[in-house]
C-alpha cells in the first residue's frame, strides 16, 4: 500500500503518512489507512484554500503553495468553492485500477495509470527546465500510495512559508523521529501559524536531537535536502553530517566540561531577534554544505576565542569541545601539539605585559609561514633567556602545512594556547563578567529546545 523508497521527498512523505495513520512504519499502512490519510489531506487543503478572497491566506496555505504552486487547489487563482475544491483534491488520491495503460510508479514501481508533473510534484520541474519528460508523455507515473506520500510531505518536512527540508539517514529511526516532530509542528502551524511557534529550533537542531537519541546504534550520517519550489527562483541546498557525529554527541554528553563548552558556545552564537537560545546556530555548525569547505564549528570557536574569555572553565570547555571534535571528525592526535603549545605559551608569558605578544601570535596563527617565523623567534628568545625550548620537530611539518589540514592543526594549537593563558591568569582578553561557571556543569546538552515534549 505504501512503500518506503530511496527518494528523500517520497520517503519523508511516506513516514508522515504512516504517522498520520497511527502506524509505526509505512509498511504497516493498509488501504483503510490510506483512505483516512487521503481524507485528512483533502480536509486540510480545503480548509485553507476555500477561504474567501478578502480573508488573509493562512500560513498553512503558504506552505502548500510553496510546494505545489501550480496545483489547481493551491494556485493563487484557485476556485474558492469548497465543493469544487474538495472534488479537485480528492481526485488526486483516487485508488489505482488495473488497466492496460498502467506503468510502473516512478518511485516504488507499483502499477499505475496516473501521470503527475510539476503541478503536483515538488522539486521535479522548474520554469527554467523544459522538455524533461520522455517524448509524448504527460507526466511521471505515480501510484496512489506515493501520491499520498508526496502530499503528506509538508507534514513530515521542516517547513517555512517558502521552503521545506527533509532528512535522509541510513537509520530509519532517525528519519522517523525527525518526521514525528514535524508532524506535531505542522499541526501547530495549522492552528496558530508560524508566529505561534516557539523560536530557536531548526531542521538541523531536530536532526541532531534524533541522532543523539540513537547514538548508541551503528554510526550513521544524516543529509538534509532543503529546497524552494516556486516558479520564480527554485533552489536546492544539500548539507550533512559525518558518520562520526554519533560518537561526537555521546562524548559531549559524557564530559561535564565539554558539555559546558557546548552550552557556552551556544550562548555566544545566540541571536536575540531570531535565535535567542542559539540552538539553531550551534546545530548548523555540525552540518557541512554540499560544496562548502568551511568547518563551521571550528570557525565559531575561533570567533569566540578572538576575544578570550576571562573564565578558565569556559576557555577549557571550548578547548575540550574543539579537541573532541577534531579527534572524532578528523582523527587528530591532539597530544602531538604539546611541545608547540608549551613553546608559544612560555614565549607569551615571558613578557611582563603578555597582551602584545598574544596579539602577535593571534595574527601569525592564520598562516603556516607566519607561524613558522613566530615559532623560530620564540625558540630563539627562550634560548637567549637561558631556557630550553621544547622540541617541535615532530609536529612542525603538519602544523605548518598548507591546506585545510594545516589550518585545523593551527586552529587547535590556538585553542590550546589560549586556554593555558587564561588558566595562568594572563591579561589577554575580556574582563571577568561574573558568569557562573559551575551552575551548568551538571546540565545535559540540548539540540532542540523543545525536545522534552511528547511527539507522535
Amino acid at each position: 500500500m505504501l512503500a518506503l523508497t530511496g527518494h528523500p521527498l517520497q520517503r519523508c512523505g511516506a513516514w508522515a503518512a504512516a504517522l498520520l495513520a497511527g502506524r509505526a512504519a509505512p509498511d504497516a499502512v493498509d488501504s483503510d489507512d490510506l483512505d483516512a490519510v487521503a481524507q485528512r489531506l483533502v480536509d486540510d487543503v480545503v480548509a485553507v484554500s476555500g477561504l474567501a478572497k478578502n480573508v488573509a491566506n493562512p500560513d498553512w496555505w503558504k506552505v502548500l503553495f510553496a510546494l505545489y504552486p501550480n496545483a489547481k487547489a493551491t494556485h493563487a487563482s484557485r476556485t474558492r468553492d469548497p465543493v469544487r475544491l474538495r472534488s479537485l483534491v480528492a481526485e488526486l488520491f483516487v485508488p489505482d485500477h488495473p488497466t492496460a495503460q498502467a506503468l510502473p510508479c516512478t518511485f516504488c514501481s507499483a502499477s499505475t495509470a496516473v501521470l503527475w508533473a510539476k503541478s503536483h510534484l515538488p522539486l521535479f520541474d522548474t520554469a527554467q527546465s523544459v522538455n524533461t519528460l520522455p517524448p509524448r508523455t504527460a507526466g511521471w507515473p505515480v501510484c496512489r500510495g506515493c501520491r499520498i506520500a508526496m502530499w503528506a510531505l509538508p507534514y513530515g518536512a521542516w517547513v517555512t512559508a517558502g521552503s521545506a527540508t527533509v532528512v535522509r539517514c541510513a537509520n530509519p529511526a532517525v528519519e522517523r523521529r525527525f518526521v514525528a516532530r514535524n508532524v506535531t509542528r505542522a499541526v501547530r502551524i495549522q492552528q496558530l501559524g508560524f508566529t505561534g511557534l516557539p523560536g530557536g529550533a531548526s531542521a538541523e537542531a531536530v536532526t541532531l536531537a534524533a541522532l543523539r537519541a540513537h547514538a548508541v546504534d551503528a554510526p550513521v550520517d544524516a543529509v538534509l535536502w532543503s529546497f524552494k519550489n516556486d516558479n520564480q527562483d527554485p533552489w536546492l541546498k544539500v548539507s550533512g553530517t559525518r558518520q562520526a557525529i554519533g560518537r561526537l554527541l555521546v562524548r559531549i554528553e559524557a564530559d561535564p566540561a565539554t558539555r559546558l563548552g557546548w552550552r557556552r558556545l551556544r550562548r555566544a552564537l545566540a541571536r536575540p531577534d531570531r535565535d535567542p537560545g542559539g540552538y539553531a546556530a550551534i546545530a548548523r555548525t555540525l552540518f557541512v554544505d554540499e560544496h562548502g569547505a568551511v568547518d563551521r564549528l571550528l570557525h565559531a570557536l575561533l570567533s569566540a576565542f578572538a576575544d578570550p574569555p576571562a573564565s578558565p572553565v569556559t576557555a577549557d570547555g571550548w578547548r575540550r569541545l574543539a579537541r573532541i571534535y577534531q579527534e572524532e571528525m578528523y582523527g587528530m592526535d591532539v597530544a602531538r601539539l604539546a611541545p608547540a603549545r608549551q613553546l608559544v605559551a612560555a614565549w607569551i608569558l615571558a613578557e611582563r605585559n603578555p597582551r602584545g605578544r598574544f596579539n602577535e601570535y593571534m595574527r601569525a596563527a592564520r598562516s603556516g609561514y607566519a607561524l613558522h617565523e613566530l615559532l623560530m623567534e620564540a625558540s630563539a628568545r627562550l634560548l637567549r633567556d637561558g631556557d630550553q625550548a621544547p622540541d617541535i620537530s615532530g609536529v612542525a611539518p603538519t602544523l605548518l602545512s598548507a591546506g585545510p589540514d594545516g589550518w585545523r592543526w593551527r586552529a587547535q594549537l590556538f585553542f590550546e594556547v589560549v586556554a593555558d593563558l587564561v588558566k595562568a591568569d594572563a591579561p589577554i582578553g575580556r574582563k571577568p563578567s561574573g558568569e557562573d561557571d559551575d551552575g551548568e556543569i551538571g546540565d545535559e546538552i540540548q539540540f532542540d529546545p523543545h525536545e522534552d515534549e511528547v511527539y507522535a
Side-chain angles (χ1 to χ4, degrees), residues 70-81:
N70 296 323
K72 293 180 180 179
T74 57
H75 196 275
S77 61
R78 66 194 178 279
T79 177
R80 308 288 175 140
D81 179 9

Side-chain angles (χ1 to χ4, degrees), residues 75-394:
H75 196 275
S77 61
R78 66 194 178 279
T79 177
R80 308 288 175 140
D81 179 9
V83 176
R84 291 183 60 192
L85 268 176
R86 185 171 295 277
S87 175
L88 286 173
V89 182
E91 187 180 352
L92 300 176
F93 312 121
V94 295
D96 291 307
H97 298 289
T99 174
Q101 288 75 38
L103 297 168
C105 174
T106 301
F107 299 101
C108 69
S109 299
S111 180
T112 181
V114 178
L115 302 179
W116 270 14
K118 176 179 170 58
S119 296
H120 303 121
L121 292 172
L123 204 61
F124 264 69
D125 271 343
T126 71
Q128 291 78 26
S129 299
V130 295
N131 299 326
T132 56
L133 286 167
R136 295 182 298 278
T137 57
W140 292 271
V142 186
C143 72
R144 188 195 190 204
C146 290
R147 296 200 303 274
I148 290 175
M150 294 304 285
W151 275 67
L153 170 66
Y155 296 81
W158 178 273
V159 293
T160 70
S163 66
T165 300
V166 302
V167 70
R168 183 70 173 90
C169 184
N171 187 342
V174 172
E175 295 179 337
R176 185 187 190 281
R177 186 179 177 94
F178 177 89
V179 171
R181 290 178 173 235
N182 290 332
V183 167
T184 298
R185 183 172 180 265
V187 174
R188 293 175 179 167
I189 295 172
Q190 291 173 316
Q191 294 175 345
L192 306 173
F194 287 107
T195 58
L197 298 177
S202 66
E204 292 86 355
V206 173
T207 302
L208 287 185
L211 287 168
R212 187 189 65 171
H214 300 281
V216 296
D217 302 341
V220 292
D221 56 2
V223 178
L224 293 178
W225 290 48
S226 301
F227 61 96
K228 181 180 179 182
N229 191 53
D230 67 8
N231 289 322
Q232 302 299 320
D233 186 24
W235 48 257
L236 169 66
K237 298 177 182 177
V238 180
S239 63
T241 65
R242 299 180 179 89
Q243 280 197 354
I245 188 68
R247 295 194 303 270
L248 174 69
L249 300 182
V250 169
R251 291 189 64 183
I252 294 175
E253 184 74 43
D255 180 54
T258 306
R259 198 158 66 240
L260 178 75
W262 174 271
R263 294 176 68 89
R264 287 277 189 252
L265 180 61
R266 174 173 60 77
R267 289 184 177 182
L269 297 174
R271 294 281 300 274
D273 52 342
R274 293 183 300 176
D275 187 18
Y279 295 98
I282 197 168
R284 291 191 185 103
T285 66
L286 297 180
F287 286 80
V288 180
D289 289 340
E290 184 180 20
H291 304 294
V294 175
D295 195 304
R296 293 177 174 176
L297 184 92
L298 295 181
H299 273 274
L301 284 172
L302 280 174
S303 178
F305 268 109
D307 185 14
S311 164
V313 178
T314 298
D316 182 61
W318 282 347
R319 165 170 56 185
R320 288 171 180 263
L321 177 59
R323 279 185 186 178
I324 288 176
Y325 181 81
Q326 299 260 38
E327 289 169 356
E328 292 297 339
M329 296 299 177
Y330 302 108
M332 180 180 290
D333 182 6
V334 180
R336 293 179 58 197
L337 287 170
R341 163 188 169 187
Q342 295 165 8
L343 172 61
V344 175
W347 174 70
I348 294 174
L349 292 171
E351 190 74 9
R352 179 173 297 180
N353 182 5
R355 191 184 303 274
R357 283 190 174 177
F358 172 73
N359 290 336
E360 184 179 349
Y361 166 60
M362 186 165 60
R363 291 189 295 270
R366 299 172 184 173
S367 74
Y369 181 79
L371 182 60
H372 184 200
E373 289 188 323
L374 184 142
L375 292 175
M376 291 178 61
E377 178 186 345
S379 298
R381 181 59 183 269
L382 290 178
L383 289 173
R384 286 196 298 269
D385 292 344
D387 296 324
Q388 182 64 40
D391 180 11
I392 64 171
S393 59

